[in-house]
Amino acid sequence: MSRVYNFSAGPAVLPEEVLREAAEEMMDYKGSGMSVMEMSHRSKVYDTIIKEAEADLRDLMQIPDNYKVLFLQGGASQQFAMIPMNLMKNKKAAYIVTGQWAKKAWKEAQIYGEAVSVASSEDQTFSYIPDCSDLDIPDDADYVYICENNTIYGTKFKELPNTKGHTLVADVSSCFLSEPVDVTKYGVIYGGVQKNIGPAGVVIVIIREDLITEDTLPGTPTMLKYKTHADAASLYNTPPAYGIYICGKVFKWLKSMGGLSAIRERNEEKAKILYDFLDESSLFRGTVAKEDRSLMNVPFVTGSGELDAKFVAEAKAAGLENLKGHRSVGGMRASIYNAMPKEGVEKLVAFMREFEEKNR
């Protein structure tokens, strides 16, 4: 069977070159006589894999020396607790609630202290990014938290909020490595890798060193302290070794594509094809305020639940997979991450045109 175009929001499409390379190395990684999947994380061979992955990521994102890169487990959702446990020194934080994941993070933080929602777009089903230029942030807030790209709703912060001198913490799971980023604007930038970088099971945390301390909330488990993992170079316990190996391959692929500026251009070109069609279509329409549209996740609807279901079923039969929208919003969603080729988006638009003709 030939490969389909996979528009899944995550676990999501990976570059074919990476998959082929991993397949070739599956039984014998570089003459070691074993697969990376079977390898001790304490071995010299694996040590090279994880160190190289970190070096390539640092290179891609131009991560300054005073930031640690941690390869952790538990997905982005575990960070909802780790962040307040490690950073809530004054037991207060400000959250900007622009989608389901930001809302979950905000609710989780309330377990550990006073988590204040300083802006929200829930009044319009998270279809826009609120104005964050002059927020009422408590002076004693330990940090300001955002989810930078909202996978379910297809919105993206084009400008970072004015945190008024407070540390910015950002969940970038679904826009990770999709464009250049100024790491120095963040105290913590983190994301699950299963959307744009690798297989599920790894979360990458990039954290400024001054935020890594012994001074965590009472009762914080050893495994949930950033210091534990920073001191052990992400090898305190057995890491998700094979997942990190694949991430490392994706970093190399991104470098071979010309780095993050080149990837952004490619992503803008792909997104434009789809958004331009949605803007002129008489059947389909996008659901997001134009100025806040994500390059990664594009939700759209026909206005009829019946037609939406018909579209998803017929698209699947045509080799366009995973276009059903998140259960909380319905409709359709095309996730067009880095590894989705332009041809995939062109195929989707051609299919949408055809569907529109037949279903007027």
Side-chain angles (χ1 to χ4, degrees), residues 1 5 10 30 43 57 61 66 72 85 118 164 167 177 179 211 214 235 269-270 277 281 317 334 349:
M1 160 151 185
Y5 288 111
K30 294 194 171 172
S43 66
L57 179 61
M61 291 178 75
N66 65 323
L72 306 177
M85 282 176 164
V118 290
K164 299 183 173 172
T167 297
L177 300 183
E179 59 183 23
L211 298 171
E214 282 290 4
L235 293 166
E269 188 188 0
K270 287 188 305 192
F277 172 73
S281 170
V349 167

Side-chain angles (χ1 to χ4, degrees), residues 201-218:
V202 184
V203 59
I204 296 172
V205 176
I206 299 158
I207 178 169
R208 212 173 57 226
E209 281 178 349
D210 61 288
L211 298 171
I212 304 170
T213 64
E214 282 290 4
D215 178 22
T216 55
L217 294 186

Side-chain angles (χ1 to χ4, degrees), residues 52 56 60 247-257:
E52 222 169 88
D56 284 335
L60 276 167
C247 292
K249 288 205 175 298
V250 172
F251 301 154
K252 290 207 183 300
W253 175 77
L254 283 167
K255 289 175 87 169
S256 76
M257 299 296 285

Side-chain angles (χ1 to χ4, degrees), residues 25-36 38-39 45:
E25 294 173 349
M26 180 53 90
M27 300 298 284
D28 177 11
Y29 177 74
K30 294 194 171 172
S32 66
M34 63 180 115
S35 169
V36 175
E38 311 167 284
M39 202 173 271
V45 185

Side-chain angles (χ1 to χ4, degrees), residues 7 267 270-271 274 295-298 334-338 340 345:
F7 294 94
N267 287 332
K270 287 188 305 192
L274 184 46
L295 292 179
M296 298 283 101
N297 312 99
V298 185
S335 292
I336 50 176
Y337 298 124
N338 289 343
M340 171 58 68
V345 181

Side-chain angles (χ1 to χ4, degrees), residues 276-296:
D276 282 356
F277 172 73
L278 287 171
D279 288 343
E280 62 163 58
S281 170
S282 56
L283 177 64
F284 297 99
R285 65 171 183 86
T287 57
V288 171
K290 279 190 184 182
E291 64 276 14
D292 299 324
R293 285 170 164 176
S294 165
L295 292 179
M296 298 283 101

